[in-house]
Amino acid sequence: SADEVISAQQWGYGAYSNGNKLGGRHNIHAYSRDDTSGCALAIAYKSKATEVTEKDFVVFSVMHDCPKRLRETMKVPNLPVCPNGNCICAWFWIPKNSGSKNFYMTPFVCRVTGANHNASPVDVGYAIPPRRCLDPINCGGNFGPRRPMYWLGSGELINMPEGNTQSPNYSIRYGFRDGAQHDIFVSTNPRRNAIQHTNPGFPPEEKCSQGNYPSRLMSTKSFFTLKSPSCGCSAELLLGTLTVMNGSNVMWTHRVSTFGPNIVTSKDEYKATASYFPRRQGPYKIDLNDKCYLYLTDSMGVVLWESEFNANMALDHVVHSFRGYDNDPIEWSRFQSIKLTNSPTKAPAKAPTKSPTKAKTTQKEEEESSNDYTFEINSKPGSIATVSDMIVPSALIEKGGLCPIDES
């Protein structure tokens, strides 16, 4: 059925697994149950699609364990009404581990119903691109409104720096909490407001005790050696090659004559320029951590860039480092979790009294606030639910969620 979720054992492993084929068709791009990598819904507060740019969208709901069934139920925060009644929404998904490297985007006209009259505006002016944070403690500075991921290709429209062997995704590895994104509003955005968690800022530099090597880079250099705080990882720029190592294992190599925060924040290849982060605040620093990667932050603790891994290391250190059904990292509990600040209104009188059939929920979803709205994504009637043709239903959604009015 559309709501069925098969177990990891039933799903199997590999390109021709039962779950990946979905009834004989190689179309889900999830070789195993662990490879579900997250779907997202985003909204642009413009009523005409021709006026929407890539920077108008803000992600408002994320489901980590998606796509795993034909119909998914996604939670929606207290969104304000749309201008002239309509907004432009889009569904996003990027496969975590498959042969084809691509990203999916399905736009549609949508309407917000049952909104509070005093609902806070979506803080689109503060929206930034998502950034990977393999160390969960580094995710906190990036909480708040974020744009969808535009990956593969070149130019300023592409906002993700990852190469084609390391696909980004809407997951814990990119700092997305599961469910409704309550911190995207002017009243709740931690990057705008003083109610933000304790700001990580520039904590004291931690140094390797062996040889007193630095772990931090604050200026541009043509050669340097960094050691991680535990001394297990190193980063060296020598003769035009930057090499990050874990002991004797090469994690990442990068050809560059000089390197430092000013290089990363000025060249488009790193996607950390003011075009992507117009509210970034210097000074900037690059640290080498004990997970053997470099990351650049601004003075407010926002991660602007993380180094990649060579293709042979990416599977173990990125792809296989999480599963879609993993809980949000416990480290995130130190950061303030923004919930709804306004009580949701009841659904309008025309809303159906009986809600549509909902997909099965996990215990974690059932424990979340009952004030969350829901929104469903269905496949086309009578068709196999290939991800590329997933659309939204035409029925009004329970509790005044989003009602698509144009599926053309």
Side-chain angles (χ1 to χ4, degrees), residues 81-235:
V81 296
C82 297
N84 301 316
N86 296 337
C87 289
I88 305 300
C89 292
W91 173 83
F92 294 86
W93 174 62
I94 299 177
K96 170 184 173 184
N97 183 26
S98 72
S100 299
K101 302 301 179 183
N102 42 47
F103 77 93
Y104 293 87
M105 174 183 177
T106 303
F108 52 93
V109 178
C110 57
R111 176 188 299 137
V112 175
T113 61
N116 285 353
H117 71 278
N118 60 346
S120 181
V122 172
D123 205 358
V124 63
Y126 271 74
I128 60 175
R131 284 295 175 259
R132 198 185 70 202
C133 47
L134 293 183
D135 187 347
I137 205 66
N138 290 340
C139 301
N142 292 51
F143 287 143
R146 279 168 286 183
R147 300 188 182 110
M149 301 176 180
Y150 305 109
W151 179 56
L152 297 176
S154 60
E156 287 193 359
L157 294 181
I158 304 301
N159 64 8
M160 304 303 293
E162 288 80 358
N164 62 6
T165 63
Q166 296 172 54
S167 58
N169 38 68
Y170 296 93
S171 69
I172 59 176
R173 287 293 173 261
Y174 282 78
F176 281 104
R177 291 187 173 99
D178 195 35
Q181 306 297 295
H182 296 293
D183 58 1
I184 65 174
F185 305 102
V186 170
S187 63
T188 60
N189 174 12
R191 282 183 272 112
R192 172 192 283 270
N193 296 282
I195 60 173
Q196 182 177 346
H197 58 79
T198 302
N199 195 327
F202 272 19
E205 179 183 2
E206 298 181 68
K207 292 187 177 182
C208 169
S209 60
Q210 302 173 11
N212 197 33
Y213 285 101
S215 63
R216 179 171 295 172
L217 189 62
M218 295 287 294
S219 60
T220 300
K221 297 181 180 296
S222 57
F223 63 90
F224 60 81
T225 298
L226 305 179
K227 291 278 189 179
S228 66
S230 69
C231 307
C233 308
S234 64

Side-chain angles (χ1 to χ4, degrees), residues 1-7 11 19 22 28 30 32-33 35-39 63-74 91 93 178 324-325 359-362 365 387 390:
S1 72
D3 298 327
E4 180 183 5
V5 178
I6 62 178
S7 67
W11 193 299
L22 276 185
I28 200 64
S32 74
R33 182 73 169 76
D35 287 335
T36 54
S37 56
C39 301
M63 177 172 283
H64 289 165
D65 197 15
C66 168
K68 62 185 178 299
R69 53 164 73 90
L70 303 188
R71 176 166 51 208
E72 296 284 15
T73 299
M74 300 185 74
W91 173 83
W93 174 62
D178 195 35
Y325 48 86
K360 297 178 182 178
T361 59
T362 64
E365 292 170 337
V387 176
M390 272 188 169

Side-chain angles (χ1 to χ4, degrees), residues 232-349:
C233 308
S234 64
E236 183 179 51
L237 176 59
L238 183 64
L239 301 177
T241 299
L242 174 58
T243 305
V244 178
M245 301 189 69
N246 181 1
S248 59
N249 296 316
V250 177
M251 309 300 288
W252 183 57
T253 54
H254 182 52
R255 291 289 298 172
V256 62
S257 57
T258 58
F259 192 76
N262 289 340
I263 298 293
V264 177
T265 56
S266 63
K267 292 190 175 183
D268 187 71
E269 64 178 292
Y270 303 104
K271 305 297 180 182
T273 65
S275 175
Y276 307 101
F277 296 91
R279 299 181 187 274
R280 65 183 190 175
Q281 297 185 33
Y284 309 99
K285 64 181 178 65
I286 294 177
D287 287 293
L288 175 67
N289 66 8
D290 289 326
K291 292 183 179 291
C292 300
Y293 66 85
L294 299 163
Y295 65 97
L296 179 143
T297 54
D298 73 356
S299 61
M300 297 300 293
V302 177
V303 175
L304 308 181
W305 170 84
E306 285 191 359
S307 63
E308 297 187 49
F309 292 86
N310 290 344
N312 62 327
M313 292 291 178
L315 280 178
D316 288 338
H317 292 272
V318 182
V319 175
H320 295 158
S321 68
F322 75 98
R323 301 167 300 183
Y325 48 86
D326 287 340
N327 292 324
D328 288 351
I330 192 172
E331 291 91 341
W332 290 359
S333 62
R334 66 172 285 188
F335 302 106
Q336 184 173 350
S337 179
I338 307 295
K339 289 297 182 181
L340 285 171
T341 57
N342 301 320
S343 299
T345 57
K346 294 181 180 180

Side-chain angles (χ1 to χ4, degrees), residues 1-75:
S1 72
D3 298 327
E4 180 183 5
V5 178
I6 62 178
S7 67
Q9 291 73 25
Q10 292 173 314
W11 193 299
Y13 296 88
Y16 297 97
S17 63
N18 292 328
N20 188 56
K21 290 189 296 182
L22 276 185
R25 294 183 62 181
H26 179 84
N27 56 11
I28 200 64
H29 295 285
Y31 289 170
S32 74
R33 182 73 169 76
D34 295 353
D35 287 335
T36 54
S37 56
C39 301
L41 289 172
I43 189 167
Y45 274 81
K46 292 184 177 179
S47 58
K48 294 183 179 180
T50 54
E51 297 177 353
V52 175
T53 72
E54 78 286 354
K55 293 183 179 180
D56 291 321
F57 281 109
V58 172
V59 173
F60 66 85
S61 184
V62 169
M63 177 172 283
H64 289 165
D65 197 15
C66 168
K68 62 185 178 299
R69 53 164 73 90
L70 303 188
R71 176 166 51 208
E72 296 284 15
T73 299
M74 300 185 74
K75 297 184 176 181

